[in-house]
Structures are given as structure tokens and as C-alpha cells.
Amino acid sequence: MDMKKLIAAAALLACVGGASAQVYVGGALGATNQDVDCQGASKCDKNAVGGKLYAGYAIDPVFALEAGYANFGKFSASGNVSGVGLVSVDLRSSAVFILGAIRGTVAPDMKLVGRLGMANVTSKIDVSVPSASGSDSMSEISAYYGIGLEYTINKNLSASVEADFTKAADVAETGNGLIRMISVGAQYRF
């Protein structure tokens, strides 16, 4: 699924109407972590800061469809290689996603939300050595899932704590790494 199809799906979500339907937008910012192979690296940073923006269409109070974009930040590693010198590697991953969301009330003004869908995950790797540098990127369709807790502040605004998960595109051919994002965010309902 390419970016144009996901944008078209998001536009369709915003245009479809219904008596109990509600359109909303949201965003979150938080800590990310990616399982990367740092074998042989003297420095390895598997943690970063990431975020997401999304639009949703609530079919009813329980079921919704969401589409959005997540940026998982930059992960890096470096180390000295005999005869080459310092080798530095940076890996950036992002995703365009479409999800189904299910919400259930757990307390007054508090909802538990579960999300499941697909994402077009793009990973880009940059490698540099003292005399050269290069980069490569690839995209793969991966499962995207998450769980969160939403607190209703007023009829239009809610705050959230969320955990999102997907797999990185295997641009370095070392095996896909799980990406995790633990974030806090807000959602506005129209």
C-alpha cells in the first residue's frame, strides 16, 4: 500500500458521514526503541524520540478507523574497524498506517483503546567511514498494533498514554527489528 492510497483512505474517513459518526485528530510524542543488532559496535543507541499524527473516524462509540504517520526517530551505532577506521551507522524508520480501533470504558471519563492494522514502514540507513559514505532505504508492509488509555477532559478533548508496535523494514538485511513507541498525546473530536 503506497502513501497515495493511505491518504485517499484518510480522506474517505473524513468525508463519510453518519448520525453517530465522529471525526477526530490526534498526536502523540514519546520514547522509541528499536531492536537492532549492535554486535561489534563500541557505541550503540537503540533509543530515540518519536511521534505520530493521525485522523480517525468513529463509526460508533466502540469502533473507529484511523490513518496516520509515525516517525520513530534516529537510532545509531559506531565502532572502529581494523584497516578502515571509525564506522558510523544511523537508522531512521517511519510508517504510514491504517488501523481499526476498539474502545471500551474502564472508568468514568477513561477508555481503554486497542489498535490493529497495517503500516507501510520505511527504514533508511546511512553508513559513513573516513573516506566515504552511503545510504539505502526500503519499505515493507508490516503489522501495526497498539494499546492505550484515554482520559476525557471535555466533550472534544482527551489525553492519552499509548504503546505502539511495528517491525522495521530490513534495510540492513540483519533481520527485522521490533519498534516500540511509548507516548503521551492528545486527541480532538469535531
Side-chain angles (χ1 to χ4, degrees), residues 8-40:
L12 179 63
L13 289 175
C15 294
V16 176
S20 65
Q22 188 172 37
V23 176
Y24 57 91
V25 294
L29 187 65
T32 61
N33 176 275
Q34 182 169 344
D35 287 339
V36 291
D37 182 5
C38 290
Q39 186 174 358

Side-chain angles (χ1 to χ4, degrees), residues 40 53 152:
L53 296 172
T152 302

Side-chain angles (χ1 to χ4, degrees), residues 133-185:
S133 64
S135 65
D136 194 10
S137 66
M138 73 181 309
S139 296
E140 292 180 357
I141 301 297
S142 296
Y144 192 106
Y145 51 98
I147 190 165
L149 195 59
E150 297 176 347
Y151 176 75
T152 302
I153 297 169
N154 61 41
K155 82 174 209 173
N156 297 100
L157 187 63
S158 62
S160 63
V161 176
E162 305 176 18
D164 294 273
F165 306 89
T166 192
K167 287 177 95 177
D170 193 13
V171 67
E173 298 181 9
T174 59
N176 285 353
L178 179 66
I179 300 174
R180 294 169 288 278
M181 179 165 55
I182 308 299
S183 59
V184 294

Side-chain angles (χ1 to χ4, degrees), residues 98-141:
I98 188 160
L99 312 168
I102 298 175
R103 288 178 172 79
T105 301
V106 293
D109 298 326
M110 184 99 38
K111 291 184 179 179
L112 184 66
V113 59
R115 294 180 171 96
L116 178 63
M118 300 300 289
N120 183 10
V121 181
T122 301
S123 294
K124 180 181 180 194
I125 190 169
D126 295 310
V127 179
S128 63
V129 295
S131 60
S133 64
S135 65
D136 194 10
S137 66
M138 73 181 309
S139 296
E140 292 180 357
I141 301 297

